[in-house]
Amino acid sequence: MAAGRTVHTQKNRVNRQGQYVYGNVVTKPSYEPQRRTSVPKRKKNVSRRVSQNRKKALAMNRAYVTFLAVAAIFALILCVNYVQMQSRITSHSKEVSSLQKELADLKEQNNTKYNSVMDSVNLDEIREKAMNELGMVYATSDQVIEYDRPSGDYVKQYEGIPEDGVLAQSDKNAK
């Protein structure tokens, strides 16, 4: 080992000259070690033709610069359009949400009003008033006319029901 270096023990430090240093603080040596400096890299000898090829490869001509500029502008336009489209989608989503909320509120109001109307109508009271005050009576069996309806579930009545109870049928259904 070189002179002036310390040897570490578990508790104390001992330098080569036999002096003990107690504790965890070691005094600064009287000399500063020299720092290594990096050696500059030597330039390799390269032929003139190779150096010219490197310069040409690193140089950009006008066509390449123009192509890069057009590509950058195209990419910028795409990005702007994408952001605008995302903004429109977000605003439409918010509008749909607000319209759905409005629809739910209107349905709730409609149901509330319908239930209040239905609760206010007393069918027994209406029947009593119709029979007692207006003189209405239930229909007898000879007043009821039954009729055969054509195929289909929906009937619009434009005329009175015929006495025989049969409605006019088309030729297709008669065959």
Side-chain angles (χ1 to χ4, degrees):
M1 285 191 180
R5 286 200 171 175
T6 58
V7 177
H8 297 284
T9 62
Q10 286 185 352
K11 201 168 195 184
N12 301 322
R13 298 176 189 245
V14 179
N15 64 11
R16 280 305 262 167
Q17 295 153 352
Q19 297 175 344
Y20 284 84
V21 178
Y22 294 100
N24 63 354
V25 178
V26 177
T27 58
K28 189 174 182 179
S30 60
Y31 67 92
E32 290 283 328
Q34 290 183 351
R35 297 184 185 254
R36 292 183 185 164
T37 58
S38 62
V39 178
K41 293 184 180 180
R42 293 182 190 156
K43 213 174 193 183
K44 293 183 180 179
N45 290 335
V46 180
S47 70
R48 203 173 109 215
R49 188 174 257 179
V50 171
S51 64
Q52 286 177 351
N53 286 343
R54 285 184 183 167
K55 285 180 184 178
K56 282 183 182 178
L58 294 176
M60 290 191 276
N61 58 13
R62 286 187 182 193
Y64 187 62
V65 171
T66 305
F67 169 74
L68 287 179
V70 169
I73 290 171
F74 183 71
L76 181 66
I77 290 170
L78 282 177
C79 290
V80 168
N81 285 339
Y82 178 75
V83 169
Q84 286 177 347
M85 191 182 317
Q86 286 291 77
S87 173
R88 277 187 244 130
I89 288 172
T90 302
S91 66
H92 289 312
S93 295
K94 287 180 181 179
E95 185 178 347
V96 166
S97 296
S98 67
L99 290 174
Q100 286 175 340
K101 184 178 183 281
E102 183 181 350
L103 177 65
D105 292 342
L106 290 174
K107 281 184 178 181
E108 180 67 29
Q109 288 176 1
N110 190 26
N111 288 339
T112 303
K113 289 180 180 179
Y114 177 78
N115 289 336
S116 67
V117 166
M118 292 307 290
D119 289 342
S120 69
V121 174
N122 185 354
L123 295 178
D124 291 330
E125 182 180 317
I126 291 173
R127 183 176 52 84
E128 287 294 324
K129 188 172 186 178
M131 291 176 80
N132 295 336
E133 292 179 19
L134 301 174
M136 299 181 101
V137 293
Y138 283 106
T140 61
S141 61
D142 61 332
Q143 292 175 327
V144 175
I145 301 173
E146 294 185 14
Y147 67 96
D148 296 327
R149 63 183 168 97
S151 63
D153 292 337
Y154 189 76
V155 175
K156 286 188 178 179
Q157 182 176 350
Y158 295 110
E159 300 177 15
I161 299 174
E163 291 295 324
D164 62 356
V166 177
L167 294 176
Q169 293 183 348
S170 66
D171 292 337
K172 292 179 185 176
N173 292 336
K175 290 181 182 179

PDB file of all heavy atoms in Angstrom, residues 98-132:
ATOM      1  N   SER A  98     -78.041  16.291 -21.813  1.00  0.00           N
ATOM      2  CA  SER A  98     -79.000  17.278 -21.308  1.00  0.00           C
ATOM      3  C   SER A  98     -80.401  16.997 -21.860  1.00  0.00           C
ATOM      4  O   SER A  98     -81.397  17.138 -21.145  1.00  0.00           O
ATOM      5  CB  SER A  98     -78.556  18.692 -21.654  1.00  0.00           C
ATOM      6  OG  SER A  98     -78.620  18.905 -23.048  1.00  0.00           O
ATOM      7  N   LEU A  99     -80.499  16.588 -23.145  1.00  0.00           N
ATOM      8  CA  LEU A  99     -81.812  16.266 -23.715  1.00  0.00           C
ATOM      9  C   LEU A  99     -82.411  15.016 -23.066  1.00  0.00           C
ATOM     10  O   LEU A  99     -83.621  14.952 -22.841  1.00  0.00           O
ATOM     11  CB  LEU A  99     -81.703  16.083 -25.229  1.00  0.00           C
ATOM     12  CG  LEU A  99     -81.435  17.356 -26.035  1.00  0.00           C
ATOM     13  CD1 LEU A  99     -81.213  17.016 -27.501  1.00  0.00           C
ATOM     14  CD2 LEU A  99     -82.553  18.358 -25.873  1.00  0.00           C
ATOM     15  N   GLN A 100     -81.582  14.031 -22.752  1.00  0.00           N
ATOM     16  CA  GLN A 100     -82.080  12.846 -22.056  1.00  0.00           C
ATOM     17  C   GLN A 100     -82.591  13.207 -20.666  1.00  0.00           C
ATOM     18  O   GLN A 100     -83.617  12.694 -20.225  1.00  0.00           O
ATOM     19  CB  GLN A 100     -80.983  11.779 -21.954  1.00  0.00           C
ATOM     20  CG  GLN A 100     -80.706  11.070 -23.255  1.00  0.00           C
ATOM     21  CD  GLN A 100     -79.542  10.107 -23.150  1.00  0.00           C
ATOM     22  OE1 GLN A 100     -78.712  10.198 -22.257  1.00  0.00           O
ATOM     23  NE2 GLN A 100     -79.488   9.175 -24.092  1.00  0.00           N
ATOM     24  N   LYS A 101     -81.883  14.107 -19.992  1.00  0.00           N
ATOM     25  CA  LYS A 101     -82.337  14.546 -18.673  1.00  0.00           C
ATOM     26  C   LYS A 101     -83.661  15.297 -18.795  1.00  0.00           C
ATOM     27  O   LYS A 101     -84.587  15.098 -18.006  1.00  0.00           O
ATOM     28  CB  LYS A 101     -81.281  15.440 -18.035  1.00  0.00           C
ATOM     29  CG  LYS A 101     -81.632  15.868 -16.625  1.00  0.00           C
ATOM     30  CD  LYS A 101     -80.526  16.703 -16.037  1.00  0.00           C
ATOM     31  CE  LYS A 101     -80.826  17.081 -14.622  1.00  0.00           C
ATOM     32  NZ  LYS A 101     -81.746  18.173 -14.485  1.00  0.00           N
ATOM     33  N   GLU A 102     -83.768  16.160 -19.817  1.00  0.00           N
ATOM     34  CA  GLU A 102     -85.009  16.900 -20.036  1.00  0.00           C
ATOM     35  C   GLU A 102     -86.158  15.949 -20.348  1.00  0.00           C
ATOM     36  O   GLU A 102     -87.273  16.112 -19.834  1.00  0.00           O
ATOM     37  CB  GLU A 102     -84.818  17.889 -21.189  1.00  0.00           C
ATOM     38  CG  GLU A 102     -86.019  18.755 -21.466  1.00  0.00           C
ATOM     39  CD  GLU A 102     -85.784  19.705 -22.625  1.00  0.00           C
ATOM     40  OE1 GLU A 102     -84.634  19.839 -23.097  1.00  0.00           O
ATOM     41  OE2 GLU A 102     -86.775  20.326 -23.064  1.00  0.00           O
ATOM     42  N   LEU A 103     -85.903  14.927 -21.167  1.00  0.00           N
ATOM     43  CA  LEU A 103     -86.925  13.935 -21.493  1.00  0.00           C
ATOM     44  C   LEU A 103     -87.378  13.186 -20.240  1.00  0.00           C
ATOM     45  O   LEU A 103     -88.579  12.983 -20.030  1.00  0.00           O
ATOM     46  CB  LEU A 103     -86.402  12.935 -22.535  1.00  0.00           C
ATOM     47  CG  LEU A 103     -87.352  11.807 -22.914  1.00  0.00           C
ATOM     48  CD1 LEU A 103     -88.591  12.354 -23.611  1.00  0.00           C
ATOM     49  CD2 LEU A 103     -86.639  10.796 -23.786  1.00  0.00           C
ATOM     50  N   ALA A 104     -86.435  12.801 -19.410  1.00  0.00           N
ATOM     51  CA  ALA A 104     -86.788  12.106 -18.178  1.00  0.00           C
ATOM     52  C   ALA A 104     -87.638  12.998 -17.269  1.00  0.00           C
ATOM     53  O   ALA A 104     -88.617  12.541 -16.668  1.00  0.00           O
ATOM     54  CB  ALA A 104     -85.529  11.649 -17.451  1.00  0.00           C
ATOM     55  N   ASP A 105     -87.272  14.286 -17.194  1.00  0.00           N
ATOM     56  CA  ASP A 105     -88.060  15.220 -16.384  1.00  0.00           C
ATOM     57  C   ASP A 105     -89.475  15.382 -16.942  1.00  0.00           C
ATOM     58  O   ASP A 105     -90.461  15.390 -16.183  1.00  0.00           O
ATOM     59  CB  ASP A 105     -87.375  16.588 -16.321  1.00  0.00           C
ATOM     60  CG  ASP A 105     -86.074  16.559 -15.532  1.00  0.00           C
ATOM     61  OD1 ASP A 105     -85.878  15.591 -14.761  1.00  0.00           O
ATOM     62  OD2 ASP A 105     -85.264  17.492 -15.695  1.00  0.00           O
ATOM     63  N   LEU A 106     -89.594  15.498 -18.272  1.00  0.00           N
ATOM     64  CA  LEU A 106     -90.922  15.647 -18.883  1.00  0.00           C
ATOM     65  C   LEU A 106     -91.767  14.392 -18.692  1.00  0.00           C
ATOM     66  O   LEU A 106     -92.977  14.484 -18.447  1.00  0.00           O
ATOM     67  CB  LEU A 106     -90.788  15.982 -20.372  1.00  0.00           C
ATOM     68  CG  LEU A 106     -90.259  17.385 -20.694  1.00  0.00           C
ATOM     69  CD1 LEU A 106     -90.029  17.539 -22.179  1.00  0.00           C
ATOM     70  CD2 LEU A 106     -91.197  18.452 -20.171  1.00  0.00           C
ATOM     71  N   LYS A 107     -91.154  13.212 -18.799  1.00  0.00           N
ATOM     72  CA  LYS A 107     -91.893  11.969 -18.557  1.00  0.00           C
ATOM     73  C   LYS A 107     -92.387  11.908 -17.113  1.00  0.00           C
ATOM     74  O   LYS A 107     -93.512  11.477 -16.855  1.00  0.00           O
ATOM     75  CB  LYS A 107     -91.015  10.749 -18.854  1.00  0.00           C
ATOM     76  CG  LYS A 107     -90.902  10.423 -20.323  1.00  0.00           C
ATOM     77  CD  LYS A 107     -90.107   9.151 -20.533  1.00  0.00           C
ATOM     78  CE  LYS A 107     -90.037   8.786 -21.997  1.00  0.00           C
ATOM     79  NZ  LYS A 107     -89.280   7.545 -22.208  1.00  0.00           N
ATOM     80  N   GLU A 108     -91.533  12.337 -16.204  1.00  0.00           N
ATOM     81  CA  GLU A 108     -91.925  12.336 -14.796  1.00  0.00           C
ATOM     82  C   GLU A 108     -93.098  13.296 -14.563  1.00  0.00           C
ATOM     83  O   GLU A 108     -94.065  12.965 -13.871  1.00  0.00           O
ATOM     84  CB  GLU A 108     -90.727  12.734 -13.928  1.00  0.00           C
ATOM     85  CG  GLU A 108     -91.019  12.756 -12.446  1.00  0.00           C
ATOM     86  CD  GLU A 108     -91.290  11.387 -11.884  1.00  0.00           C
ATOM     87  OE1 GLU A 108     -90.770  10.395 -12.416  1.00  0.00           O
ATOM     88  OE2 GLU A 108     -92.057  11.303 -10.897  1.00  0.00           O
ATOM     89  N   GLN A 109     -93.030  14.488 -15.167  1.00  0.00           N
ATOM     90  CA  GLN A 109     -94.135  15.441 -15.036  1.00  0.00           C
ATOM     91  C   GLN A 109     -95.408  14.874 -15.663  1.00  0.00           C
ATOM     92  O   GLN A 109     -96.500  15.010 -15.093  1.00  0.00           O
ATOM     93  CB  GLN A 109     -93.781  16.764 -15.723  1.00  0.00           C
ATOM     94  CG  GLN A 109     -92.754  17.593 -15.011  1.00  0.00           C
ATOM     95  CD  GLN A 109     -92.385  18.834 -15.812  1.00  0.00           C
ATOM     96  OE1 GLN A 109     -92.918  19.075 -16.883  1.00  0.00           O
ATOM     97  NE2 GLN A 109     -91.454  19.611 -15.283  1.00  0.00           N
ATOM     98  N   ASN A 110     -95.288  14.259 -16.833  1.00  0.00           N
ATOM     99  CA  ASN A 110     -96.444  13.679 -17.514  1.00  0.00           C
ATOM    100  C   ASN A 110     -97.081  12.587 -16.660  1.00  0.00           C
ATOM    101  O   ASN A 110     -98.306  12.536 -16.511  1.00  0.00           O
ATOM    102  CB  ASN A 110     -96.021  13.127 -18.877  1.00  0.00           C
ATOM    103  CG  ASN A 110     -97.194  12.746 -19.730  1.00  0.00           C
ATOM    104  OD1 ASN A 110     -98.282  13.279 -19.577  1.00  0.00           O
ATOM    105  ND2 ASN A 110     -96.975  11.817 -20.635  1.00  0.00           N
ATOM    106  N   ASN A 111     -96.258  11.705 -16.122  1.00  0.00           N
ATOM    107  CA  ASN A 111     -96.794  10.641 -15.267  1.00  0.00           C
ATOM    108  C   ASN A 111     -97.462  11.202 -14.018  1.00  0.00           C
ATOM    109  O   ASN A 111     -98.511  10.708 -13.594  1.00  0.00           O
ATOM    110  CB  ASN A 111     -95.687   9.661 -14.877  1.00  0.00           C
ATOM    111  CG  ASN A 111     -95.249   8.798 -16.035  1.00  0.00           C
ATOM    112  OD1 ASN A 111     -95.975   8.637 -17.012  1.00  0.00           O
ATOM    113  ND2 ASN A 111     -94.051   8.256 -15.941  1.00  0.00           N
ATOM    114  N   THR A 112     -96.859  12.240 -13.454  1.00  0.00           N
ATOM    115  CA  THR A 112     -97.444  12.853 -12.262  1.00  0.00           C
ATOM    116  C   THR A 112     -98.805  13.460 -12.581  1.00  0.00           C
ATOM    117  O   THR A 112     -99.783  13.255 -11.848  1.00  0.00           O
ATOM    118  CB  THR A 112     -96.494  13.943 -11.718  1.00  0.00           C
ATOM    119  OG1 THR A 112     -95.235  13.360 -11.443  1.00  0.00           O
ATOM    120  CG2 THR A 112     -97.053  14.576 -10.459  1.00  0.00           C
ATOM    121  N   LYS A 113     -98.880  14.194 -13.706  1.00  0.00           N
ATOM    122  CA  LYS A 113    -100.158  14.808 -14.082  1.00  0.00           C
ATOM    123  C   LYS A 113    -101.193  13.747 -14.451  1.00  0.00           C
ATOM    124  O   LYS A 113    -102.371  13.862 -14.098  1.00  0.00           O
ATOM    125  CB  LYS A 113     -99.958  15.788 -15.242  1.00  0.00           C
ATOM    126  CG  LYS A 113     -99.223  17.045 -14.803  1.00  0.00           C
ATOM    127  CD  LYS A 113     -99.031  18.014 -15.933  1.00  0.00           C
ATOM    128  CE  LYS A 113     -98.283  19.237 -15.421  1.00  0.00           C
ATOM    129  NZ  LYS A 113     -98.056  20.207 -16.484  1.00  0.00           N
ATOM    130  N   TYR A 114    -100.784  12.717 -15.156  1.00  0.00           N
ATOM    131  CA  TYR A 114    -101.704  11.631 -15.521  1.00  0.00           C
ATOM    132  C   TYR A 114    -102.258  10.955 -14.264  1.00  0.00           C
ATOM    133  O   TYR A 114    -103.469  10.718 -14.164  1.00  0.00           O
ATOM    134  CB  TYR A 114    -100.991  10.599 -16.396  1.00  0.00           C
ATOM    135  CG  TYR A 114    -101.841   9.411 -16.746  1.00  0.00           C
ATOM    136  CD1 TYR A 114    -102.812   9.509 -17.741  1.00  0.00           C
ATOM    137  CD2 TYR A 114    -101.688   8.206 -16.077  1.00  0.00           C
ATOM    138  CE1 TYR A 114    -103.613   8.425 -18.055  1.00  0.00           C
ATOM    139  CE2 TYR A 114    -102.486   7.115 -16.379  1.00  0.00           C
ATOM    140  CZ  TYR A 114    -103.443   7.219 -17.375  1.00  0.00           C
ATOM    141  OH  TYR A 114    -104.224   6.152 -17.684  1.00  0.00           O
ATOM    142  N   ASN A 115    -101.392  10.670 -13.317  1.00  0.00           N
ATOM    143  CA  ASN A 115    -101.852  10.034 -12.072  1.00  0.00           C
ATOM    144  C   ASN A 115    -102.785  10.946 -11.287  1.00  0.00           C
ATOM    145  O   ASN A 115    -103.768  10.476 -10.694  1.00  0.00           O
ATOM    146  CB  ASN A 115    -100.655   9.621 -11.214  1.00  0.00           C
ATOM    147  CG  ASN A 115     -99.902   8.454 -11.812  1.00  0.00           C
ATOM    148  OD1 ASN A 115    -100.462   7.674 -12.574  1.00  0.00           O
ATOM    149  ND2 ASN A 115     -98.631   8.332 -11.477  1.00  0.00           N
ATOM    150  N   SER A 116    -102.510  12.252 -11.292  1.00  0.00           N
ATOM    151  CA  SER A 116    -103.402  13.171 -10.566  1.00  0.00           C
ATOM    152  C   SER A 116    -104.766  13.244 -11.253  1.00  0.00           C
ATOM    153  O   SER A 116    -105.806  13.312 -10.580  1.00  0.00           O
ATOM    154  CB  SER A 116    -102.776  14.554 -10.439  1.00  0.00           C
ATOM    155  OG  SER A 116    -102.680  15.168 -11.703  1.00  0.00           O
ATOM    156  N   VAL A 117    -104.799  13.216 -12.601  1.00  0.00           N
ATOM    157  CA  VAL A 117    -106.072  13.227 -13.328  1.00  0.00           C
ATOM    158  C   VAL A 117    -106.831  11.930 -13.059  1.00  0.00           C
ATOM    159  O   VAL A 117    -108.042  11.934 -12.810  1.00  0.00           O
ATOM    160  CB  VAL A 117    -105.835  13.441 -14.841  1.00  0.00           C
ATOM    161  CG1 VAL A 117    -107.075  13.128 -15.642  1.00  0.00           C
ATOM    162  CG2 VAL A 117    -105.387  14.869 -15.096  1.00  0.00           C
ATOM    163  N   MET A 118    -106.121  10.810 -13.126  1.00  0.00           N
ATOM    164  CA  MET A 118    -106.777   9.521 -12.898  1.00  0.00           C
ATOM    165  C   MET A 118    -107.290   9.405 -11.464  1.00  0.00           C
ATOM    166  O   MET A 118    -108.347   8.802 -11.220  1.00  0.00           O
ATOM    167  CB  MET A 118    -105.826   8.362 -13.201  1.00  0.00           C
ATOM    168  CG  MET A 118    -105.479   8.240 -14.675  1.00  0.00           C
ATOM    169  SD  MET A 118    -106.915   8.168 -15.755  1.00  0.00           S
ATOM    170  CE  MET A 118    -107.561   6.574 -15.355  1.00  0.00           C
ATOM    171  N   ASP A 119    -106.576   9.981 -10.512  1.00  0.00           N
ATOM    172  CA  ASP A 119    -107.036   9.953  -9.125  1.00  0.00           C
ATOM    173  C   ASP A 119    -108.237  10.867  -8.923  1.00  0.00           C
ATOM    174  O   ASP A 119    -109.077  10.619  -8.051  1.00  0.00           O
ATOM    175  CB  ASP A 119    -105.900  10.367  -8.179  1.00  0.00           C
ATOM    176  CG  ASP A 119    -104.821   9.301  -8.083  1.00  0.00           C
ATOM    177  OD1 ASP A 119    -105.090   8.131  -8.455  1.00  0.00           O
ATOM    178  OD2 ASP A 119    -103.696   9.630  -7.645  1.00  0.00           O
ATOM    179  N   SER A 120    -108.323  11.943  -9.731  1.00  0.00           N
ATOM    180  CA  SER A 120    -109.434  12.871  -9.553  1.00  0.00           C
ATOM    181  C   SER A 120    -110.729  12.342 -10.174  1.00  0.00           C
ATOM    182  O   SER A 120    -111.810  12.821  -9.846  1.00  0.00           O
ATOM    183  CB  SER A 120    -109.080  14.234 -10.158  1.00  0.00           C
ATOM    184  OG  SER A 120    -109.019  14.137 -11.563  1.00  0.00           O
ATOM    185  N   VAL A 121    -110.632  11.368 -11.087  1.00  0.00           N
ATOM    186  CA  VAL A 121    -111.820  10.818 -11.745  1.00  0.00           C
ATOM    187  C   VAL A 121    -112.357   9.671 -10.897  1.00  0.00           C
ATOM    188  O   VAL A 121    -111.652   8.708 -10.621  1.00  0.00           O
ATOM    189  CB  VAL A 121    -111.468  10.319 -13.169  1.00  0.00           C
ATOM    190  CG1 VAL A 121    -112.646   9.610 -13.790  1.00  0.00           C
ATOM    191  CG2 VAL A 121    -111.021  11.473 -14.023  1.00  0.00           C
ATOM    192  N   ASN A 122    -113.607   9.803 -10.492  1.00  0.00           N
ATOM    193  CA  ASN A 122    -114.257   8.745  -9.726  1.00  0.00           C
ATOM    194  C   ASN A 122    -115.339   8.143 -10.635  1.00  0.00           C
ATOM    195  O   ASN A 122    -116.367   8.769 -10.903  1.00  0.00           O
ATOM    196  CB  ASN A 122    -114.863   9.324  -8.443  1.00  0.00           C
ATOM    197  CG  ASN A 122    -115.430   8.245  -7.557  1.00  0.00           C
ATOM    198  OD1 ASN A 122    -115.475   7.071  -7.922  1.00  0.00           O
ATOM    199  ND2 ASN A 122    -115.869   8.658  -6.372  1.00  0.00           N
ATOM    200  N   LEU A 123    -115.106   6.929 -11.131  1.00  0.00           N
ATOM    201  CA  LEU A 123    -116.023   6.315 -12.084  1.00  0.00           C
ATOM    202  C   LEU A 123    -117.399   6.022 -11.467  1.00  0.00           C
ATOM    203  O   LEU A 123    -118.422   6.115 -12.157  1.00  0.00           O
ATOM    204  CB  LEU A 123    -115.398   5.037 -12.648  1.00  0.00           C
ATOM    205  CG  LEU A 123    -114.142   5.247 -13.495  1.00  0.00           C
ATOM    206  CD1 LEU A 123    -113.597   3.904 -13.960  1.00  0.00           C
ATOM    207  CD2 LEU A 123    -114.425   6.136 -14.678  1.00  0.00           C
ATOM    208  N   ASP A 124    -117.442   5.681 -10.201  1.00  0.00           N
ATOM    209  CA  ASP A 124    -118.737   5.436  -9.549  1.00  0.00           C
ATOM    210  C   ASP A 124    -119.571   6.711  -9.497  1.00  0.00           C
ATOM    211  O   ASP A 124    -120.786   6.682  -9.726  1.00  0.00           O
ATOM    212  CB  ASP A 124    -118.522   4.892  -8.126  1.00  0.00           C
ATOM    213  CG  ASP A 124    -117.953   3.493  -8.133  1.00  0.00           C
ATOM    214  OD1 ASP A 124    -118.236   2.746  -9.093  1.00  0.00           O
ATOM    215  OD2 ASP A 124    -117.224   3.133  -7.188  1.00  0.00           O
ATOM    216  N   GLU A 125    -118.924   7.808  -9.230  1.00  0.00           N
ATOM    217  CA  GLU A 125    -119.630   9.096  -9.181  1.00  0.00           C
ATOM    218  C   GLU A 125    -120.164   9.463 -10.569  1.00  0.00           C
ATOM    219  O   GLU A 125    -121.281   9.944 -10.705  1.00  0.00           O
ATOM    220  CB  GLU A 125    -118.660  10.181  -8.672  1.00  0.00           C
ATOM    221  CG  GLU A 125    -119.270  11.555  -8.531  1.00  0.00           C
ATOM    222  CD  GLU A 125    -118.241  12.553  -8.033  1.00  0.00           C
ATOM    223  OE1 GLU A 125    -117.478  12.220  -7.111  1.00  0.00           O
ATOM    224  OE2 GLU A 125    -118.224  13.661  -8.587  1.00  0.00           O
ATOM    225  N   ILE A 126    -119.373   9.223 -11.609  1.00  0.00           N
ATOM    226  CA  ILE A 126    -119.804   9.520 -12.984  1.00  0.00           C
ATOM    227  C   ILE A 126    -120.989   8.632 -13.358  1.00  0.00           C
ATOM    228  O   ILE A 126    -121.976   9.094 -13.954  1.00  0.00           O
ATOM    229  CB  ILE A 126    -118.631   9.317 -13.960  1.00  0.00           C
ATOM    230  CG1 ILE A 126    -117.572  10.397 -13.721  1.00  0.00           C
ATOM    231  CG2 ILE A 126    -119.106   9.369 -15.406  1.00  0.00           C
ATOM    232  CD1 ILE A 126    -116.312  10.198 -14.505  1.00  0.00           C
ATOM    233  N   ARG A 127    -120.956   7.349 -13.017  1.00  0.00           N
ATOM    234  CA  ARG A 127    -122.060   6.427 -13.341  1.00  0.00           C
ATOM    235  C   ARG A 127    -123.339   6.852 -12.616  1.00  0.00           C
ATOM    236  O   ARG A 127    -124.427   6.898 -13.207  1.00  0.00           O
ATOM    237  CB  ARG A 127    -121.678   4.998 -12.944  1.00  0.00           C
ATOM    238  CG  ARG A 127    -122.743   3.980 -13.321  1.00  0.00           C
ATOM    239  CD  ARG A 127    -122.321   2.562 -13.025  1.00  0.00           C
ATOM    240  NE  ARG A 127    -121.849   2.330 -11.682  1.00  0.00           N
ATOM    241  CZ  ARG A 127    -122.638   2.073 -10.632  1.00  0.00           C
ATOM    242  NH1 ARG A 127    -123.925   2.031 -10.778  1.00  0.00           N
ATOM    243  NH2 ARG A 127    -122.133   1.881  -9.443  1.00  0.00           N
ATOM    244  N   GLU A 128    -123.223   7.214 -11.346  1.00  0.00           N
ATOM    245  CA  GLU A 128    -124.392   7.662 -10.590  1.00  0.00           C
ATOM    246  C   GLU A 128    -124.994   8.924 -11.203  1.00  0.00           C
ATOM    247  O   GLU A 128    -126.212   9.027 -11.368  1.00  0.00           O
ATOM    248  CB  GLU A 128    -124.001   7.930  -9.128  1.00  0.00           C
ATOM    249  CG  GLU A 128    -123.751   6.692  -8.311  1.00  0.00           C
ATOM    250  CD  GLU A 128    -125.007   5.873  -8.114  1.00  0.00           C
ATOM    251  OE1 GLU A 128    -126.108   6.456  -7.964  1.00  0.00           O
ATOM    252  OE2 GLU A 128    -124.898   4.630  -8.138  1.00  0.00           O
ATOM    253  N   LYS A 129    -124.144   9.872 -11.564  1.00  0.00           N
ATOM    254  CA  LYS A 129    -124.632  11.119 -12.145  1.00  0.00           C
ATOM    255  C   LYS A 129    -125.295  10.859 -13.494  1.00  0.00           C
ATOM    256  O   LYS A 129    -126.343  11.424 -13.808  1.00  0.00           O
ATOM    257  CB  LYS A 129    -123.470  12.104 -12.295  1.00  0.00           C
ATOM    258  CG  LYS A 129    -123.901  13.482 -12.702  1.00  0.00           C
ATOM    259  CD  LYS A 129    -122.737  14.451 -12.641  1.00  0.00           C
ATOM    260  CE  LYS A 129    -123.218  15.851 -12.915  1.00  0.00           C
ATOM    261  NZ  LYS A 129    -122.156  16.831 -12.825  1.00  0.00           N
ATOM    262  N   ALA A 130    -124.706   9.974 -14.329  1.00  0.00           N
ATOM    263  CA  ALA A 130    -125.268   9.680 -15.643  1.00  0.00           C
ATOM    264  C   ALA A 130    -126.618   8.980 -15.513  1.00  0.00           C
ATOM    265  O   ALA A 130    -127.547   9.271 -16.270  1.00  0.00           O
ATOM    266  CB  ALA A 130    -124.297   8.813 -16.439  1.00  0.00           C
ATOM    267  N   MET A 131    -126.756   8.072 -14.582  1.00  0.00           N
ATOM    268  CA  MET A 131    -128.008   7.316 -14.451  1.00  0.00           C
ATOM    269  C   MET A 131    -129.100   8.154 -13.782  1.00  0.00           C
ATOM    270  O   MET A 131    -130.252   8.135 -14.221  1.00  0.00           O
ATOM    271  CB  MET A 131    -127.765   6.023 -13.667  1.00  0.00           C
ATOM    272  CG  MET A 131    -126.920   5.020 -14.457  1.00  0.00           C
ATOM    273  SD  MET A 131    -126.553   3.569 -13.520  1.00  0.00           S
ATOM    274  CE  MET A 131    -128.064   2.669 -13.706  1.00  0.00           C
ATOM    275  N   ASN A 132    -128.738   8.873 -12.717  1.00  0.00           N
ATOM    276  CA  ASN A 132    -129.750   9.593 -11.945  1.00  0.00           C
ATOM    277  C   ASN A 132    -130.108  10.944 -12.559  1.00  0.00           C
ATOM    278  O   ASN A 132    -131.277  11.289 -12.691  1.00  0.00           O
ATOM    279  CB  ASN A 132    -129.287   9.776 -10.504  1.00  0.00           C
ATOM    280  CG  ASN A 132    -129.172   8.440  -9.791  1.00  0.00           C
ATOM    281  OD1 ASN A 132    -129.823   7.462 -10.173  1.00  0.00           O
ATOM    282  ND2 ASN A 132    -128.333   8.383  -8.778  1.00  0.00           N
TER     283      ASN A 132
END
